[in-house]
Amino acid sequence: MLAMLRDVLKDTTKKKYAIPAFNIFGFEDAKACIDAAEHLGAPVILATNKVALEHIPVAVFGRMLVTMAEQATVPVVIHLDHGADYETVAKAIHAGYSSVMYDGSQLPIEENIRKTKEIVKLAHAFDIPVEAEVGSVAYRDKYRHIKQEHTSPYDAQRFAVETGVDCLAVSVGSLHRMEEQTAEIDFELIKAIEAVVDIPLVMHGATGISDENLRKLAATSFGKVNIGTALRMAFGRSLRKQVEADPVVYDRLELFPDAMEKVKQAAINKMLLLNSTRANTLEEEMSNGESTD
Ligand code: G3H
Ligand code: ZN
C-alpha cells in the first residue's frame, strides 16, 4: 500500500528501529526493494534523486512507483530525494509522491529556513510531509561544491522549530557514495541533537556506515536511513559479471533477474540491521491489543 512518510516514521524512535530509504533508478530495483520489504513484512521508502529523474521524468516515474506501492502488501513510501527547488517539489507532489525532501543545505541557514518554510506550506497544503537538511553531507567522489559540515545542535533545533518540517536530515560523519563502510559517526553529536530536536532524524550517505553502527543508529532518533550506493553496487556488479561471463548475451532481460536478486538481498540485509521488521511486529501487537513497551 502507498504510505505516508509520517506514518512509517511514527514509532521509529520510541520502538528503536529505522526505515531505509533506498535510491531507485528504474523498475528493476524498485521491484527488488518491494520484494525485500514484502519478504520481511516491513515498510520501505523508495527514493528518487536528481539523476534518476533526469533519466525518467517525474510524472512517469511517479505514476509507476505509486502503482507499485499501491499493489504492495507492505507500506511503501514514494519519496523525492534532495529536491532542489520549489518547482521540483511541486512536480513530485503532482506526480503522486507521498513524501518530499527539499535540500537547501548549501544555502546560508537564514535562506535555507525561508525557502524550506515555503516548501512546507506547499506540501502540507496537500498533506505531504517534508524532509529538509541542516548542516551538509558531502560526496566522496563528485559534486565537489557540496561541503562537509557537521550539524550544530543549536541550528538543528532552530531549524526544526522555525520550519515545521516533519523530519530532519543532519550531518554527523557520513559521506555520500562511499564504497567501503568506514564512515566515522559522531554518536556524541547525535546525542546532543536528539536532546533538542523532537522530530525523526534522517541519515544520508548510509552505505558508508558499518553494520555495527547501523544497528546502533536504529536505537537513536534516526528514523529514516538513506541507502543508495550499496544497492547500485549490487546491481552493477552483477551486470558486469554476467556480461563478462557470457560474451554473446545482449538481451537485458536475461541480465536483470540475478541483478534484481542481488539488490533484494542487499536490501534485506540493511532492513535487518535497522530492525525495520519491528514495525510489522508492533502493528500486529497493537491490533491484538498487546502492550509493546
Ligand atoms: O540521499 C541518498 C543517500 O544519502 C544515499 O547515500 O549512496 O552514500 O548510500 P549513499
Ligand atoms: Zn543524500
Side-chain angles (χ1 to χ4, degrees), residues 176-192:
H176 285 102
R177 291 180 60 89
M178 287 179 79
E179 293 173 6
E180 309 293 333
Q181 292 174 273
T182 53
E184 288 183 19
I185 302 301
D186 186 341
F187 281 93
E188 286 308 310
L189 178 56
I190 292 175
K191 263 192 215 148

Side-chain angles (χ1 to χ4, degrees), residues 147-164:
K147 58 195 181 208
Q148 182 72 346
E149 186 179 277
H150 285 197
T151 304
S152 97
Y154 173 81
D155 284 353
Q157 179 187 36
R158 178 180 168 215
F159 193 92
V161 170
E162 289 188 25
T163 60

Side-chain angles (χ1 to χ4, degrees), residues 250-270:
Y250 57 82
D251 188 338
R252 64 182 178 180
L253 295 185
E254 286 176 28
L255 299 169
F256 286 158
D258 183 72
M260 290 167 72
E261 183 58 28
K262 295 291 189 301
V263 171
K264 180 181 169 186
Q265 292 308 325
I268 288 174
N269 175 41
K270 300 296 183 188

Side-chain angles (χ1 to χ4, degrees), residues 59 68 133 136 184 206 208 291:
M68 291 174 85
E133 179 168 334
S136 176
E184 288 183 19
S291 166

Side-chain angles (χ1 to χ4, degrees), residues 80 98 126 136 147 155 162 167 173 212-213 215 223 228 230 255 263:
L80 174 73
S98 57
F126 291 90
S136 176
K147 58 195 181 208
D155 284 353
E162 289 188 25
C167 57
E212 188 193 341
N213 281 346
R215 278 196 202 95
L255 299 169
V263 171

Side-chain angles (χ1 to χ4, degrees), residues 13-40:
T13 300
K14 199 167 113 202
K15 307 296 182 189
K16 301 187 189 318
Y17 65 95
I19 306 295
F22 293 123
N23 281 111
I24 296 304
F25 297 87
F27 172 79
E28 293 73 25
D29 42 9
K31 166 101 171 57
C33 289
I34 291 175
D35 284 352
E38 288 183 337
H39 176 78
L40 294 176

